């Protein structure tokens, strides 16, 4: 038995932008709280509210930065393919066994039934990780940094779309260890 693993590392650009924006907003709220708190003793509630919101916004920015830089992993093993992906901005964790697969093929996302519309997750350039709606209206869990992907239709009617910088190696491992591909 062999196990093949593929890792998709998101760009840190998006997380950095979110961090900067939320840090600036949080710092502005803290500054407003401090200046408001100094002027009048009767507005303590406003001071506390601004202070708490400012700290929460800064904390959210830091959390989003680290969360958005967490890689996703695709593992192909004997009779299964599994995905480890952040829940907040990814597809979550899934373990798909061969008996849950109706069909699988290699396809080009971005047109026809394989058009992606994001429900939640991350999508920029060819990097798509999260929960999407396909052009045919079906739900797809996507972990891909390539436009050529392994498209897996589950017996439940949902889809799992996986792509790496070497989708051919992913498809070969999938065919060898999990399920044959259809043309």
């Amino acid at each position: 038995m062999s196990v093949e693993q593929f890792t998709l590392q998101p760009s840190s650009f998006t997380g950095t932008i979110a961090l900067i924006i939320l840090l600036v907003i949080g710092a502005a709220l803290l500054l407003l709280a401090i200046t408001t708190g100094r002027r009048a003793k009767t507005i303590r509630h406003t001071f506390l509210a601004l202070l708490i919101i400012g700290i929460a916004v800064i904390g959210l920015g830091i959390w989003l930065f680290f969360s958005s830089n967490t890689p996703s992993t695709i593992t192909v093993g004997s009779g299964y393919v599994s995905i480890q992906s952040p829940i907040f901005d990814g597809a979550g964790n899934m373990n798909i066994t061969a008996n849950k697969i109706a069909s699988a093929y290699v396809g080009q996302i971005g047109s026809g039934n394989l058009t992606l519309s994001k429900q939640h997750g991350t999508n920029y350039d060819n990097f798509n990780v999260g929960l999407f709606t396909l052009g045919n209206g079906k739900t797809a869990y996507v972990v891909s940094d390539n436009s050529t992907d392994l498209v897996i239709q589950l017996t439940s009617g949902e889809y799992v779309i996986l792509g790496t910088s070497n989708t051919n190696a992913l498809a070969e491992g999938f065919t060898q260890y999990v399920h044959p591909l259809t043309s």
Side-chain angles (χ1 to χ4, degrees):
M1 177 181 126
S2 179
V3 173
E4 296 182 28
Q5 197 166 51
F6 304 88
T7 302
L8 286 74
Q9 181 66 46
S11 167
S12 63
F13 177 74
T14 305
T16 303
I17 295 297
L19 174 66
I20 291 170
I21 291 170
L22 291 173
L23 285 178
V24 168
I25 292 170
L29 288 170
L30 290 176
L31 185 62
L32 184 61
I34 291 168
T35 57
T36 302
R38 285 187 181 167
R39 278 193 257 143
K41 301 290 183 201
T42 58
I43 49 175
R44 290 264 184 228
H45 293 94
T46 304
F47 167 76
L48 288 174
L50 288 173
L51 186 67
I52 290 168
I53 293 170
I55 291 170
V57 167
I58 290 172
L60 177 64
I62 293 169
W63 179 75
L64 278 175
F65 175 75
F66 288 109
S67 173
S68 67
N69 288 317
T70 303
S72 296
T73 305
I74 302 168
T75 305
V76 177
S78 182
Y80 74 94
V81 61
S82 75
I83 302 164
Q84 275 75 48
S85 182
I87 292 173
F88 176 74
D89 63 345
N93 298 334
M94 298 180 76
N95 190 37
I96 304 148
T97 54
N99 64 344
K100 294 180 183 177
I101 298 171
S103 67
Y105 61 94
V106 174
Q108 193 79 20
I109 60 170
S111 63
N113 283 343
L114 295 180
T115 301
L116 299 177
S117 177
K118 182 175 73 170
Q119 291 181 23
H120 84 82
T122 304
N123 67 323
Y124 54 89
D125 292 333
N126 283 330
F127 191 85
N128 298 291
V129 176
L131 187 62
F132 292 78
T133 301
L134 295 175
N136 62 7
K138 300 288 185 172
T139 298
Y141 298 90
V142 180
V143 176
S144 174
D145 62 0
N146 195 339
S147 61
T148 303
D149 295 316
L150 174 61
V151 180
I152 304 167
Q153 182 178 10
L154 303 177
T155 55
S156 66
E158 296 177 318
Y159 286 78
V160 175
I161 299 176
L162 308 173
T164 68
S165 58
N166 192 350
T167 299
N168 286 337
L170 172 64
E172 286 174 15
F174 181 84
T175 300
Q176 182 177 358
Y177 300 112
V178 185
H179 194 276
L181 299 181
T182 58
S183 301

